[in-house]
Amino acid sequence: MKKSKKQSAAVNPAQVVSAEKKISIKDSLKEWLRSLNLGKPHAVMVAVTLVVLVSAFLIFDNLSVSYARRWDIDWGYYSILSTFILLVAGVVVNLPFVAKRAKEFLPSGRAFCGLAIVLLIFSIFMFGNIGNTHRVLSDETSWESMGLQMYFEHTGGICNEGIWDNGVLDCKTEVNNFKGKALGFVYSLVFNFMEPNRDTALLVNYPFYILSLIAFFLALCKWFKSEKLALAATAFLGGMPIYLLQARSASTEVLYICLLSLLMAWYAFVPTNKVNWKHFLLTVPLLGFFAQTRQETVFAFIPFALYYYRYFLEKPYRLSAFVASVIVVSWPSVNTMAAYRGYDFQGGDHAAHSFENLWFNLKTNIEIMLNLEKDSAFGGIMENPFYTSFTVILLAATVWLLFRMVYSRRYVRGFVLGIFFCVQIFVILLNVSGTFTIDINQRYVLVALPLFAMLMALGLFDALQFSTKMRMDAVERIVLGFALLLTFGLMFYHAPSYKANMLYYKNKLLGEEDFLNTVLAEYPENSIYIYSRPWQMLAQGHSAFSERTFEGWSTEVFAEWMQKTGGNIYLVRGQDGYGKVNRDSRVVGFKTTDQIDKILDGYKNERVLIDVKKFGYPLVIYKINSKKGVSQYAQNFIVSDQDDGRIVLSKRFSESIACDYVLNDEPQGSLLLSTDADTLHLDSAKIRYGMNRAFFSCFMPDGDTTRVYRDFFIEGERVALLSSLKIQSFSQDWGSPQMNESVEHHKLTLDKEPFRYGIGSHANSILDFDLPRKFDWLYAVVGLDDESACGDGVYFVVNTDGREVFRSKKMYSTDKQSVKIGINGASHLQLKIEMGDNKDCDHGDWANAWMEAVQ
């Protein structure tokens, strides 16, 4: 049959080199290099680009861990906000170009109808068979907590512990996260329109799932020159088990696929011969967001430069400018890798970041993906993150396309781009989290799913056309029909497994989270929960602290929280509260058995809930009533200051008590507290600008004496609180400096004496401050915090403008020294803590540090 003119002009779906050109790959490479007409300007371009990359690496490699983490918290939000603003600007600038070319880019109406039907089937199946819940929990809820911090505080960290007060999160402890900043930022935007909590976050991924399939389809329509083949690949992608599950969860990998698909669509939309600098105003911020979904993503950026290599070769500055721009928008991700350099959070037989680990993960993952049992014996639960049929097709298609590349010189360009894209996959496998034997890691396959779907569709098409010599249109129909039947058939066949949360059904923490989310809604709104994963509680809208933080509460702090909550403090013992961490299991765990046992032994409590059937371990909630071995009166008495000379004394018992009090080391007399609460108005003449310290000795009815310290700082032109100033730079051998708390986030305490203000640090440390004006004196109380009883001694040193003005004696645990140091109008202040023989446990405090100008 004679082909029509339209058929004869048809292009192979891969836009590949003709099979009739039987020249060697070596000769092809030489011909390609000659066509580039490379010269001296291009050598300069390569050299400048290498300088940019090496400079970025050196900055990254020389960042201290503590500085990288501080930068991440202070500037992470504003960095990604800037990228978002650039993205919006890029959309606006490119709108005329998009409007001009949209008609020729869009596929036919019939193709769109087919895509709509496919998306509808996926959606109906998902909402009917997959619960809207977390799959991984730790990472996912931490991203939600990051979104809360971005929304409420405009910082880039995760709120690890905090209090919800009238719908606003008051974060008490902020920490870093090693990925997912893009998803946290998306949450912060969504929280402007919906309730800022877990349930809102769980709704976000479904729109990303739909958008990703649309963008993926549009890109492949252009690249494959075949709407049917593009729809077949889209069906393969949308029907992947792991993708369907995560689309009803809160995983950052769904956003990863969405951004990758948008980049693919944009690259397909902008031809290589029409690209200009305006297009990169959209490309660069998209790459910036893409980089901040997973930290390994930056290793996949080479093909995004190679795609437009001819454009970059035209002007020597273009490639280096593109690389520098991408580094800038990706810097939070690079900085995060510096903050978690060498972080081994998994364990196992093979060391993290080793080739043994790479091979183990690669082999294990393929074995799991090739599980030939259609269902396991465990109640019909499918454990494979990838249908076995899909895996067989993928491996066969990959082998076939590699054969075609070598034998027929086809798909060479696609192979080069694809292998560079896969660098990130090998980085994941080389790192610590590649194996699918851990169910929470099975989501990592999502980074490869778009590539897998393309290989499956293209491999089936090419193999069938090569072997049968059928018309291209007929082969496309067969591949599309096969893809739809296989995808939907397997999906509906395994519907019971989806309903049973396949892949993740063993993760009891998921059921624990859903259970607590329902049960705790019935508890008093002002309750505080002590839990191993407090960030998860915060995402659910509950106030929470960790067991370790609760252990560090003094009687005074415990009394304050008991009064604020009306006695509603609860300890939740879940899966993490049983057993020890097994480092050989390759499983991430937070075992808090010892802390929970200590709390239960140290506090009077009552068990208010226990469930032993749902989880395979007893999930127990205890109400904390009082601290053992401490006067009941002391636990029901608090002193709170109001920063203006008023101090409120409150008690939750009927008996009257007498208190002696001292202000700034001067006795002020006694007072009698007979009502539940009384306000003490301090003598304004005895309150000074700067630091004020009140001390109360209150005599309880049982004969015990409660001692309470209260610090308050009165602002003035000639005084400044050191902890209110920004640290210009710092280095610290362990942790990072903390304002108004110890380095482990406890109240600053020196020899059992608490301090409200100051800086908690750790030897060796150097803290640099630029002073806002000239001061004469620096006041502080220095010493090793009570949380560091094992320290072997430190020296406290003060330098001003490069000159040492103070050096303490060697100070050990329980030593403290009040200092008044002349700083003589300095413009720069440096605080140092130098270790003794070693840095172990050297938690040093600059307590109640402030400065004063005499004139």
Side-chain angles (χ1 to χ4, degrees):
M1 180 177 176
K2 187 177 180 181
K3 294 183 180 179
S4 67
K5 185 176 181 181
K6 182 176 181 181
Q7 288 175 328
S8 64
V11 181
N12 187 285
Q15 296 181 285
V16 295
V17 180
S18 172
E20 284 74 20
K21 294 184 179 180
K22 297 295 183 179
I23 60 175
S24 69
I25 293 178
K26 181 178 179 180
D27 292 337
S28 299
L29 183 60
K30 287 181 178 179
E31 182 180 343
W32 175 70
L33 288 173
R34 282 195 298 269
S35 71
L36 296 179
N37 193 27
L38 299 177
K40 184 177 179 180
H42 302 107
V44 173
M45 175 194 71
V46 172
V48 173
T49 303
L50 287 175
V51 168
V52 172
L53 288 170
V54 170
S55 299
F57 170 77
L58 291 175
I59 295 172
F60 154 76
D61 195 52
N62 285 283
L63 283 176
S64 68
V65 171
S66 56
Y67 184 84
R69 292 189 176 189
R70 189 72 255 164
W71 192 97
D72 179 61
I73 288 176
D74 289 344
W75 297 104
Y77 171 77
Y78 294 104
S79 177
I80 197 166
L81 177 63
S82 301
T83 303
F84 178 72
I85 293 172
L86 180 62
L87 178 64
V88 173
V91 170
V92 172
V93 169
N94 284 282
L95 274 178
F97 176 78
V98 173
K100 183 178 180 180
R101 295 203 68 245
K103 187 174 182 180
E104 63 183 86
F105 177 76
L106 295 177
S108 66
R110 178 179 295 180
F112 264 129
C113 287
L115 176 64
I117 293 172
V118 169
L119 297 182
L120 182 62
I121 293 173
F122 282 143
S123 299
I124 292 173
F125 178 83
M126 286 168 57
F127 284 94
N129 296 279
I130 303 175
N132 199 26
T133 185
H134 287 123
R135 312 291 170 196
V136 181
L137 198 65
S138 290
D139 286 351
E140 294 169 337
T141 48
S142 68
W143 297 323
E144 290 162 14
S145 189
M146 182 191 295
L148 292 172
Q149 273 301 89
M150 289 184 171
Y151 175 65
F152 287 112
E153 299 293 339
H154 294 171
T155 58
I158 296 167
C159 186
N160 190 54
E161 300 171 312
I163 299 295
W164 282 96
D165 185 11
N166 294 321
V168 176
L169 178 61
D170 177 14
C171 186
K172 301 299 183 182
T173 305
E174 185 174 10
V175 298
N176 298 88
N177 194 24
F178 53 92
K179 59 187 172 186
K181 203 169 295 295
L183 187 59
F185 180 78
V186 169
Y187 288 152
S188 72
L189 296 180
V190 175
F191 290 159
N192 283 282
F193 308 99
M194 302 176 70
E195 287 295 321
N197 57 31
R198 160 195 185 267
D199 294 333
T200 294
L202 286 172
L203 301 175
V204 169
N205 268 356
Y206 172 71
F208 285 150
Y209 170 85
I210 296 297
L211 181 59
S212 71
L213 296 184
I214 295 173
F216 186 72
F217 172 74
L218 293 176
L220 295 191
C221 282
K222 190 70 175 179
W223 284 341
F224 282 176
K225 299 294 183 183
S226 167
E227 296 172 348
K228 298 181 184 66
L229 205 57
L231 189 57
T234 303
F236 279 135
L237 174 61
M240 304 281 185
I242 196 74
Y243 200 26
L244 285 166
L245 285 167
Q246 296 297 345
R248 291 280 283 162
S249 185
S251 169
T252 188
E253 282 79 14
V254 176
L255 178 59
Y256 171 100
I257 291 183
C258 181
L259 289 167
L260 174 60
S261 299
L262 289 172
L263 280 163
M264 290 171 60
W266 180 238
Y267 269 63
F269 187 81
V270 182
T272 55
N273 62 339
K274 293 185 179 181
V275 65
N276 60 54
W277 67 269
K278 292 181 180 179
H279 301 134
F280 290 101
L281 288 179
L282 189 54
T283 303
V284 168
L286 276 174
L287 287 171
F289 270 92
F290 188 43
Q292 294 178 71
T293 52
R294 291 195 55 84
Q295 71 271 33
E296 301 92 355
T297 304
V298 294
F299 294 97
F301 279 2
I302 295 176
F304 293 99
L306 288 179
Y307 190 87
Y308 291 122
Y309 70 92
R310 292 188 181 276
Y311 171 80
F312 291 124
L313 289 174
E314 291 174 3
K315 299 289 182 181
Y317 64 85
R318 285 178 176 172
L319 181 61
S320 56
F322 173 75
V323 170
S325 301
V326 171
I327 289 173
V328 170
V329 295
S330 305
W331 190 252
S333 181
V334 178
N335 177 75
T336 298
M337 284 190 281
Y340 282 87
R341 190 178 305 150
Y343 190 60
D344 179 6
F345 59 84
Q346 186 166 277
D349 296 331
H350 305 290
H353 323 295
S354 68
F355 286 101
E356 291 85 357
N357 199 61
L358 167 65
W359 174 246
F360 176 85
N361 288 337
L362 182 63
K363 177 173 64 72
T364 305
N365 292 348
I366 293 176
E367 288 174 356
I368 292 174
M369 293 169 65
L370 270 174
N371 178 11
L372 298 178
E373 297 180 10
K374 63 180 180 180
D375 269 343
S376 74
F378 301 103
I381 300 293
M382 178 182 160
E383 299 183 60
N384 199 329
F386 206 65
Y387 296 124
T388 300
S389 304
F390 278 19
T391 306
V392 172
I393 294 171
L394 170 65
L395 295 177
T398 302
V399 171
W400 173 258
L401 292 173
L402 287 173
F403 163 75
R404 291 281 278 159
M405 183 187 71
V406 175
Y407 177 76
S408 304
R409 313 294 183 261
R410 297 192 174 206
Y411 313 115
V412 175
R413 183 168 182 251
F415 172 79
V416 172
L417 295 176
I419 203 69
F420 277 116
F421 179 80
C422 287
V423 170
Q424 63 171 328
I425 299 172
F426 295 119
V427 170
I428 294 174
L429 296 174
L430 178 71
N431 207 326
V432 292
S433 305
T435 176
F436 296 161
T437 56
I438 307 173
D439 55 1
I440 65 172
N441 287 345
Q442 291 171 338
R443 74 192 193 279
Y444 293 159
V445 75
L446 271 75
V447 302
L449 293 190
L451 178 63
F452 288 176
M454 292 171 63
L455 290 173
M456 291 167 66
L458 182 60
L460 285 172
F461 168 84
D462 190 87
L464 188 60
Q465 188 186 47
F466 182 85
S467 60
T468 64
K469 308 300 181 183
M470 286 192 298
R471 286 175 37 232
M472 189 170 68
D473 183 65
V475 177
E476 290 170 357
R477 290 176 182 273
I478 292 173
V479 172
L480 175 59
F482 176 77
L484 294 175
L485 286 173
L486 184 64
T487 298
F488 294 144
L490 288 171
M491 186 175 71
F492 284 101
Y493 176 78
H494 289 291
S497 291
Y498 281 100
K499 289 181 179 179
N501 197 27
M502 68 189 202
L503 315 183
Y504 301 102
Y505 73 101
K506 293 179 182 177
N507 190 343
K508 301 301 183 181
L509 281 170
L510 302 176
E512 180 179 306
E513 184 213 20
D514 285 337
F515 179 78
L516 291 174
N517 192 50
T518 301
V519 168
L520 298 187
E522 304 299 322
Y523 284 56
E525 188 174 345
N526 63 343
S527 299
I528 286 177
Y529 299 95
I530 312 303
Y531 189 52
S532 58
R533 300 166 186 260
W535 65 89
Q536 173 193 323
M537 287 287 189
L538 298 180
Q540 293 176 306
H542 304 301
S543 302
F545 292 92
S546 68
E547 293 97 340
R548 188 174 297 279
T549 294
F550 181 74
E551 278 187 274
W553 283 3
S554 65
T555 301
E556 180 185 349
V557 172
F558 176 69
E560 290 178 7
W561 286 119
M562 284 292 284
Q563 189 164 61
K564 290 177 181 178
T565 63
N568 290 302
I569 298 178
Y570 298 91
L571 172 66
V572 180
R573 184 171 199 162
Q575 185 185 55
D576 290 327
Y578 297 96
K580 304 293 183 182
V581 176
N582 180 2
R583 295 294 292 172
D584 294 328
S585 68
R586 300 180 66 85
V587 176
V588 180
F590 297 84
K591 304 303 181 183
T592 57
T593 307
D594 293 340
Q595 294 99 305
I596 290 178
D597 287 341
K598 286 176 66 176
I599 291 171
L600 294 177
D601 289 341
Y603 287 84
K604 294 181 180 179
N605 59 81
E606 60 177 308
R607 192 174 68 194
V608 296
L609 181 145
I610 182 169
D611 194 303
V612 297
K613 296 180 180 179
K614 288 185 176 68
F615 312 106
Y617 55 87
L619 190 147
V620 190
I621 299 178
Y622 301 91
K623 185 174 184 180
I624 304 298
N625 293 322
S626 61
K627 202 169 187 177
K628 294 179 181 178
V630 178
S631 166
Q632 288 291 326
Y633 293 102
Q635 296 184 57
N636 288 282
F637 172 73
I638 65 170
V639 178
S640 56
D641 62 274
Q642 305 299 312
D643 290 330
D644 60 357
R646 291 186 299 117
I647 294 183
V648 178
L649 296 89
S650 305
K651 60 182 179 67
R652 293 201 305 163
F653 47 85
S654 58
E655 295 93 331
S656 299
I657 59 172
C659 295
D660 294 336
Y661 69 100
V662 175
L663 176 62
N664 295 331
D665 298 325
E666 294 184 10
Q668 303 295 309
S670 300
L671 60 90
L672 181 66
L673 181 63
S674 56
T675 60
D676 290 344
D678 196 3
T679 301
L680 173 64
H681 293 270
L682 299 177
D683 187 347
S684 59
K686 296 179 179 178
I687 299 175
R688 63 194 180 196
Y689 285 108
M691 188 68 65
N692 292 268
R693 187 167 178 79
F695 171 61
F696 295 83
S697 295
C698 297
F699 308 102
M700 298 300 164
D702 60 359
D704 192 16
T705 301
T706 298
R707 295 173 175 82
V708 179
Y709 293 89
R710 277 293 170 262
D711 302 316
F712 56 98
F713 191 82
I714 304 298
E715 300 286 350
E717 293 182 1
R718 295 189 297 172
V719 298
L721 186 64
L722 189 63
S723 57
S724 67
L725 301 183
K726 181 180 179 180
I727 300 177
Q728 295 302 316
S729 64
F730 70 87
S731 63
Q732 192 164 294
D733 284 1
W734 186 87
S736 57
Q738 302 298 322
M739 297 302 183
N740 303 324
E741 60 184 15
S742 72
V743 73
E744 286 195 348
H745 305 289
H746 299 139
K747 177 171 281 192
L748 296 166
T749 309
L750 299 174
D751 191 22
K752 300 183 180 179
E753 186 176 343
F755 295 86
R756 178 177 179 180
Y757 305 101
I759 301 174
S761 188
H762 192 290
N764 292 305
S765 66
I766 301 175
L767 314 180
D768 289 299
F769 298 85
D770 289 333
L771 301 182
R773 58 158 298 174
K774 307 297 183 183
F775 295 101
D776 297 298
W777 299 102
L778 169 67
Y779 302 89
V781 182
V782 298
L784 285 176
D785 195 277
D786 286 358
E787 68 186 13
S788 60
C790 60
D792 69 336
V794 299
Y795 301 92
F796 290 83
V797 182
V798 177
N799 294 334
T800 59
D801 296 334
R803 181 173 61 92
E804 185 175 301
V805 295
F806 171 78
R807 175 177 289 270
S808 73
K809 65 178 182 179
K810 192 173 185 180
M811 304 187 70
Y812 298 89
S813 180
T814 73
D815 288 344
K816 65 175 183 285
Q817 179 182 356
S818 296
V819 297
K820 178 182 180 181
I821 304 167
I823 55 177
N824 301 318
S827 59
H828 182 79
L829 177 69
Q830 185 181 77
L831 307 182
K832 299 173 67 176
I833 302 178
E834 298 177 357
M835 69 182 187
D837 295 331
N838 60 67
K839 67 180 181 181
D840 296 341
C841 299
D842 289 341
H843 302 196
D845 295 342
W846 301 87
N848 278 7
W850 64 289
M851 294 166 295
E852 180 184 33
V854 177
Q855 298 294 334

